[in-house]
Structure formats: C-alpha cells, structure tokens
Amino acid sequence: MKERKTSLELLRIISICLVILCHLYIYNGVFYQEFTPNSIISLFLCAGNSVPCDYIFIGTSSYFLIKKKGKWHPKRLLVFLALVGTLWVLKMSILRGLFGFNNTEYFVDLFLVTGAWWYALQYAALLLYYPLLNKLIYRKNPTLLYLCTAALSVFYLKNGVTNDMNDVNDLIMFVFTYLVMGCLYVHPPKLKFMHRHKKPILIGLAILCNLGMLISCVYTKLPISGIELTVANDYIWHIIGRYCAPAMIVGLCMFELFREWDMPVSKTVLSLSKLTIYVFLLHETTMGIFWYFKKCWNTLNYIPVTEFLFWSAMYIVGCFAFAALVHKLYTWLLEPLWNKLIGKLCNLYTERKSSC
Amino acid sequence: MLGKKERNKAIFKFMFTLFMVCFALFITFYARNVERYNTTILSFNYSYGFISRGLLGTLYLWLNDVLPIDILNFEGVVNVTFIATTIIVAVLFLLALVIVSKCDDLYLTNVEYVILFFAMFFVSMWYSTRNMGRPDVYMMFLTFIGLFLIIYEKFEWLLIPLAILNCMIHQGYVFMFYNIFMYLLAYKVLNTTGKQRKKYVLILGISFICVSVLFLYFNFFSHVGGPEIYDDIVALATMLGDEGEYFDILINHEILGIDPWKEELPSHIYNFVEFFCFSILNLPYLVLGVRLFKNILHAAPTKLEKIKYALIPICALTIMPMYLIKIDFGRWVFAGTAYFSLVILALIALKDKIITEELHALMEDIKARYAYAHLLLIYIVTMIPLYDIHINQITRVITDWLDNTFFHIL
C-alpha cells in the first residue's frame, strides 16, 4: 500500500477544485466577458490560484519521481495509460452521445474534447523519460543540471510571453519544472538565511506573486482602470496561461509549505484524494452534461451572484460525484482485467530484463 | 500447436481486441464532417467526358438516381461517406480474419501485432475530419479486394480492372498504391514457372501499361475541355459542399490544368522539415524495418530469392515522386505504411516461409532483448491520426515550433 501524506493529499483536493473551477469559467467565457460581479469573483477565485495548481501537480509528481532512484519499470506507466485510455473512451462516448460527432454550437469540440488532457499526455511522457532526468539530477557535479535548467528557463520565459500553448512548450514546462525541483531538493541552495527563514520566505513569495497576479487581473477588468476589454482579456489570458512564471513560484511554494506541514491522518481526505485524477480527467465530461441541460452554460457571467456561486459549487459536487461513480465502476469492473494484462506484461518485462 | 478450439478462441480474442481498438479510435477521431476538398471531388463525373478523378462522382450520381432519397447535398455526402468508410473498415476486418486464419499458430501473435499496427493507422486516418471521404480510402478498398484475389489465387486477372478503376478514382494511385499489386505480381512471376508465370507476367504488364497510360492521359490530356465544363462543376460542387463551399484549387488543377505548385512551395519545404522530424520520431519502426529486410535478404538462399525480396523496398520507391512533387505528406506516409504492412501480411497469408519466419524471429528477438518492446504498440498512438499536408499533430507542433523559432518558412 502506498504511503500517503495527508497534507499533500489535501493540497491535491484543493488544487483540483480550483483547476476545474477555472476551466468552468474559461470555457464559459466568464473571464473574458465584460465586467460583472461574477467575473470579478471568478478572477478572485482563479486568477492567482488555478495555474499554480498545475504546478502543484507537476511539482508533486516530480518530487516523488525524483525520489525514485531504482530502475525504470513500466507498471506505473501502464496503469496510468490503462486508466487514461478507459476514461478517454468513456468521455468521448458520453460527449458524442450527447452532442453528436461534429458539434461546434456548444464549443464541445473546441473545449471539452481536447480540453485539459494535455496534462495526461505530458505526465505519461514524463513517466517514460524521468529516469534520464534523474541521471542528470543525481550527477555529483550539478553544473550540467544548472546549465540545462538555465537554458530551459529561457524557452520557458519566452513561452510565458508568447503564451503559445502546444505540446512542445508543454514538454519544456514539464522538464523545466522537474529540473527546478531537482535543483531544489537534490542540490538545495546553501544559504543559511534561506534555511533559517524558509517558511516566511515561502509564504511571502507565494503571497507576493499571488496578489500580483490577482490584483493586476482584477484591476484590468474594473471599469475605473479605463483599459479596453480586448487588452484586459489579452493580459488575463497571459496570466492564466500555462507558462506563467509567477504561477510556478506560487505552485512550488505552496507544495513545499504543505509538504512540511505535519497534518494528522484523515480518512476523508485520503479517500477524496483518490478521486482527483478521475475528477481531472472527467470534469469536462461533467461540464458537457451540465451544458446539455443548459446549466453552467455561457450565461454564467450574467446570472445573479448567489446563483453563480450555487452553480459553481454544484459543478464541483457534480464532478466529484461523477468521479466517485466512475471510480467505483472502474475498480469493480475494469481494473481487475487491466491488472491481469498489466501483470502479464510486467512479468514478461521482468523475465526479459533479467535474461537481457 | 494449438487445437482447433483453442485456435478459434485465440482468433476470436484478437478480432475482439481489433474491434475494440478500432471502436475507441472511431469514437475519438470521427467528426461527422467531409472537408470541401473531398466534397468537391464528387462533382467530377463522366457526364463531362473522360476527366480525371471522375469515377467517384459518377458513382455518386448513379447512387443518387438509384436511391429514393436526394443525396446531392452535404448531409447526403456525409452519410454516404460514413457508410462507405464503415463498409471499407469491415472489409479490412475480413482481410485481417483471412490473414490470421491462414497463419500458422507459432507466428499468430506477431502477425496480429502487424495487423493492429496497420489498422490503427487506417481507422484513425480515414474516419478523421481531414481525410473522411478522400479518394485514397476507396483505392484502399479496391486494393483489399485485389489482396483477397491474390491470397486465394482466384480470378487474378481482375487485378487489371481493379488497377484501372483505382486510376480512374485518382491518378495518384500509380505512385501511391499500385506498388502493392505490382510487387505481389512480380513476386508471383518470380515464384512460378511455365504457364503460371506467363499469366502473371501478362497481368503485371497489362495493368502496368494501363495505369501508366491513364496516368499520362489524366495528368496531361484530360483538361482540354475544362473551361466549358467549369461552371457546371462549380454548381454541382456548391450543392455538395458544406454551406455551399467548394475547393477551387482542386477544380482549377483537375479541370483547367492549373498547377498550384508555386503556391504550394513554402508548404512543401515545410513538409520536408516535418518529414525529417517524423523520421526521427519513427526511428524505432524504421530500425525494425531495415533490420527485417536485412535479415530477409540474408536468409534468402539463392540469387533469385534475394531479388524477390529486394524488390519489396525497391517497389516502395514509387511513392518517392509524390514526396518530391506534391504536398500532403501525411497521405504519402500512409501510402508507405500501407505498402509495407499489406505486402508483408499478404506474403504471410501466401505462406512465404522466409518472410514469416524472419518477421517472427525479429519480433521475438526484440521482445527478448528489450523488455519494454510492447510499448512500441502504445507509441503508435502518438503518431495517429495521419493528417494530409501535415503528417500528424506531434510533427506539426514540433515543426511549427522549429519554424517559428528558427526557419520562418511559412
């Protein structure tokens, strides 16, 4: 049984809630439509918080993968791919069943079909190449690691400016974050001051970056700023884009703070955290179901504030409920079959590895 | 050695897996859409004379006359294309079934991998929005029919009309898919003697002359009456296209004979960079392919046998002109994949000992040497679906990135 740290699991739950909320608001245009109380609430909730959550997930995965010093084994990758493949077929079947095969009216093909699955692709790739990165990280002389991280930071920062989201730039983002985590945890900076005042520094950095993103986003949207809507939207689009450097700082600071927090074990947190991957992979499907019934639809920005908050909460509850149902069905019906197949493949792998 | 029951069970298991994989790909990539370059081609028909790419349009108009419903509209094109593609996929399944049922027990698993490999490319590509309804899929259909004839060694003379029909669907067939018939007929010429050999020489010779003549005619002489029929074709293409849209470049090219080569040049250069990226990403399969042919040539005992197998990569070179003169590298990559997969599978079904044993030995060797060899089947998922001008999404993104950062071609 995998040992889980409750504080990190709690962080994952909070993060997934913010990520799916952010997608709800992006796909319904709440961030980009004209100023309303709802658009400001959504910015408050998400502008400085949601993208850092992406980095919290990458940071968490990186942290545990960096600690894995053993040889590469395909089990983890195969288990992940089996889950992703199954949920993908389920998601596509539901969305196609509800909206048909070529639906542009509801932006289904634009948002819900591809949506946030870039993360799954990049994570699967990371599970393949992380041993190479670990080799680089665990070199006695970290100069090459620093050089690679510095070189990647140039591309990463450039991507933050252009905000051109694609697979190559996602790969750069993943590798860069992984290497940064490697620098921080395997070759930590030897500054006494940093160690002595670690917590206040992390909190300070996180708050500074978070408030910077939040205030600037909200300000550009306020009518008193006098900034044109298109210009404001372009700015917000950069801030809530994947390659935002302050978001990375917030994400990694939050990860470290929660990692150090010795939280008592909570069964509720642990069982909810098991659902996070299902929630992440299926939240667009849940949104599709809401959309089909014309709920949480793109009038979201214009409904009364209480209704807005109610439907946002309902959406989160819906995502978790659907995820719990699918999780139950998957572990009951399909997981044993997949495990059998994966077990066979892994046995083959072990046999062949030992005979090679 | 498997018993009859166990063998049937193994084949059923494979066919079920094939079906499930193809269903998942269909759910993922089918987009209930036919792009305007594929609707426009249906407006070319032989009521305007013997013009290039006119067969599909003629058949479509005939279908419209026969059916009690009007299909001369976009909805009709989408429905008919979907049904036709599904029938062609069903024929692919049948071909897979024939091949595995003709394969010896020992080699079954590795042959199934090759079929899965090809089916994943096939289904994802021809159901996806860019290529739904492309003439290539109909050429593949006739090629499958030809493969049945070759495998069962019956009515092989029908390969001549099949090749002619393919050329009438799209003259590019000569470079893209004719090599499948060409190689298999050449193989039979070298594998037989006496009257049988003469028969195959005749089929090969006649089909080769027919497709060559048709190619030359369609490419250089079929545009003569173009300006007179242009307006009628545009009117029909408007009826068939989504919201009345049609693809003028195709009409200008095929009906008026205006070559878009100059406009396509930047995309063509971009294609070469993309192809380079694709080759690097595909290195595992390329290395396997090269090793396979090296082993096959090594295993061939006589000079004649060596020539027989050396012809496999040589016949693949017919696709080269397409890379050099036309964009749409995604389609050329598919043509190459289809050629090697189908030729190898046909030879296995024909019980060619060297091909079957060498393929099996290579795959067993790879599996024994690299414990993670099975990941090669998962790796294909990143390569599909093949597009048209771009090869696939991954190479497109990488080449876009390279282009924006360094080359600035487009």
Side-chain angles (χ1 to χ4, degrees), chain A residues 15-283:
Chain A
S15 302
I16 201 69
C17 291
L18 287 167
V19 166
I20 62 175
L21 262 188
C22 183
H23 289 159
L24 175 75
Y25 300 145
I26 290 179
Y27 298 167
N28 286 308
V30 179
F31 289 144
Y32 301 122
Q33 285 156 356
E34 57 265 39
F35 168 80
T36 62
N38 293 351
S39 67
I40 296 301
I41 291 171
S42 69
L43 283 174
F44 261 110
L45 282 170
C46 300
N49 300 317
S50 290
V51 184
C53 295
D54 285 344
Y55 288 96
I56 287 171
F57 283 116
I58 304 172
T60 314
S61 306
S62 305
Y63 176 75
F64 289 111
L65 290 175
I66 288 169
K67 286 210 311 191
K68 269 182 174 279
K69 285 183 191 167
K71 289 207 166 170
W72 185 83
H73 196 276
K75 193 177 174 187
R76 199 184 173 113
L77 176 69
L78 291 174
V79 168
F80 180 70
L81 287 178
L83 178 68
V84 167
T86 311
L87 296 190
W88 174 263
V89 175
L90 175 74
K91 165 193 164 140
M92 292 302 287
S93 306
I94 292 174
L95 290 179
R96 294 307 188 203
L98 291 177
F99 298 99
F101 277 88
N102 187 20
N103 200 296
T104 45
E105 191 190 343
Y106 295 95
F107 303 107
V108 170
D109 284 4
L110 191 63
F111 290 137
L112 302 189
V113 170
T114 44
W117 282 63
W118 63 273
Y119 188 92
L121 175 73
Q122 291 299 334
Y123 181 67
L126 179 68
L127 289 179
L128 266 178
Y129 64 71
Y130 80 87
L132 291 174
L133 298 182
N134 278 1
K135 267 188 189 168
L136 178 67
I137 288 169
Y138 283 106
R139 279 167 69 103
K140 272 186 186 164
N141 185 354
T143 319
L144 188 61
L145 170 68
Y146 294 149
L147 275 175
C148 289
T149 316
L152 278 175
S153 72
V154 175
F155 286 102
Y156 175 77
L157 291 171
K158 181 210 136 213
N159 293 340
V161 176
T162 58
N163 206 18
D164 181 15
M165 288 179 239
N166 59 48
D167 292 334
V168 179
N169 291 342
D170 291 343
L171 182 76
I172 291 171
M173 165 196 180
F174 259 71
V175 176
F176 177 60
T177 314
Y178 196 94
L179 294 185
V180 169
M181 291 294 282
C183 292
L184 291 174
Y185 288 98
V186 181
H187 306 282
K190 287 168 188 156
L191 297 167
K192 273 185 188 168
F193 173 79
M194 288 270 278
H195 286 282
R196 220 175 290 151
H197 305 286
K198 191 175 170 184
K199 229 178 192 170
I201 289 175
L202 288 174
I203 294 172
L205 258 176
I207 290 176
L208 194 72
C209 292
N210 184 288
L211 284 182
M213 290 191 286
L214 174 67
I215 292 169
S216 59
C217 278
V218 173
Y219 177 74
T220 53
K221 204 80 189 172
L222 289 175
I224 48 157
S225 69
I227 297 171
E228 261 182 58
L229 189 66
T230 47
V231 180
N233 283 347
D234 190 47
Y235 178 76
I236 293 171
W237 182 64
H238 274 77
I239 293 295
I240 59 170
R242 279 174 219 159
Y243 317 124
C244 179
M248 183 184 181
I249 296 169
V250 178
L252 298 189
C253 289
M254 291 307 289
F255 167 76
E256 179 55 18
L257 286 168
F258 272 76
R259 192 183 70 86
E260 295 231 314
W261 179 19
D262 204 11
M263 190 186 164
V265 176
S266 156
K267 273 189 180 172
T268 321
V269 170
L270 292 182
S271 53
L272 272 179
S273 78
K274 274 184 195 162
L275 299 178
T276 49
I277 177 119
Y278 291 85
V279 174
F280 182 73
L281 294 176
L282 292 172
H283 70 279

Side-chain angles (χ1 to χ4, degrees), chain B residues 141-407:
Chain B
F141 170 66
L142 295 182
T143 305
F144 291 160
I145 303 290
L147 286 179
F148 283 119
L149 303 178
I150 291 170
I151 290 169
Y152 284 110
E153 300 186 321
K154 280 180 180 159
F155 304 110
E156 283 154 307
W157 55 270
L158 278 175
L159 292 176
I160 303 169
L162 284 176
I164 291 172
L165 287 174
N166 268 334
C167 227
M168 286 159 69
I169 291 174
H170 191 308
Q171 64 269 34
Y173 168 74
V174 178
F175 298 120
M176 289 166 72
F177 302 122
Y178 177 65
N179 50 13
I180 297 172
F181 286 172
M182 188 166 81
Y183 173 73
L184 291 172
L185 285 169
Y187 172 86
K188 291 213 166 185
V189 168
L190 295 172
N191 229 18
T192 50
T193 50
K195 265 189 174 178
Q196 281 284 320
R197 177 176 278 186
K198 268 186 196 164
K199 182 182 95 178
Y200 289 120
V201 169
L202 217 63
I203 297 173
L204 177 62
I206 295 174
S207 65
F208 185 79
I209 292 168
C210 287
V211 294
S212 305
V213 169
L214 280 173
F215 173 78
L216 291 173
Y217 169 74
F218 287 138
N219 239 30
F220 301 109
F221 306 106
S222 68
H223 318 297
V224 182
E228 287 103 74
I229 59 172
Y230 182 83
D231 290 337
D232 290 345
I233 286 192
V234 167
L236 187 54
T238 311
M239 277 170 77
L240 298 174
D242 187 14
E243 294 175 356
E245 283 192 356
Y246 62 92
F247 196 52
D248 53 349
I249 297 173
L250 181 69
I251 300 180
N252 291 344
H253 182 216
E254 293 304 323
I255 304 301
L256 301 179
I258 300 168
D259 202 324
W261 194 82
K262 230 178 182 177
E263 290 82 45
E264 286 178 353
L265 190 62
S267 299
H268 208 148
I269 298 167
Y270 179 97
N271 264 172
F272 283 114
V273 180
E274 196 172 354
F275 189 68
F276 176 73
C277 298
F278 182 75
S279 305
I280 290 179
L281 288 174
N282 252 329
L283 266 182
Y285 304 111
L286 287 177
V287 170
L288 277 182
V290 171
R291 268 189 65 185
L292 175 67
F293 283 107
K294 220 172 107 190
N295 293 351
I296 288 169
L297 287 178
H298 194 71
T302 62
K303 211 173 177 182
L304 186 74
E305 293 272 297
K306 281 192 200 301
I307 292 171
K308 203 162 78 180
Y309 298 116
L311 277 177
I312 300 179
I314 292 171
C315 286
L317 292 177
T318 59
I319 306 166
M320 279 300 283
M322 299 307 268
Y323 283 107
L324 296 175
I325 56 176
K326 287 276 175 196
I327 53 173
D328 277 10
F329 273 35
R331 290 166 65 203
W332 319 149
V333 165
F334 176 78
T337 313
Y339 170 75
F340 284 109
S341 310
L342 291 176
V343 161
I344 286 174
L345 289 172
L347 291 179
I348 288 167
L350 286 169
K351 305 230 178 259
D352 183 291
K353 221 175 161 194
I354 293 179
I355 289 274
T356 317
E357 280 177 0
E358 289 307 317
L359 178 76
H360 178 73
L362 175 80
M363 286 177 118
E364 289 303 312
D365 179 41
I366 294 295
K367 281 192 264 179
R369 200 179 299 188
Y370 304 106
Y372 45 83
H374 279 96
L375 288 182
L376 278 177
L377 262 183
I378 298 167
Y379 184 56
I380 309 167
V381 179
T382 61
M383 298 286 149
I384 56 173
L386 291 173
Y387 288 173
D388 40 22
I389 296 176
H390 298 288
I391 296 174
N392 60 34
Q393 183 60 19
I394 293 250
T395 53
R396 180 187 184 170
V397 168
I398 294 171
T399 318
D400 269 349
W401 188 81
L402 287 173
D403 189 34
N404 291 337
T405 316
F406 304 108
F407 304 131

Side-chain angles (χ1 to χ4, degrees), chain B residues 8-43:
Chain B
N8 285 346
K9 203 177 159 189
I11 291 176
F12 175 77
K13 242 173 150 177
F14 166 68
M15 290 307 292
F16 180 72
T17 312
L18 182 69
F19 176 78
M20 289 310 287
V21 169
C22 291
F23 178 71
L25 292 172
F26 163 76
I27 282 282
T28 304
F29 296 116
Y30 177 56
R32 202 173 156 67
N33 185 32
V34 179
E35 290 291 345
R36 60 197 171 115
Y37 36 82
N38 294 324
T39 55
T40 302
I41 212 166
L42 293 176
S43 62

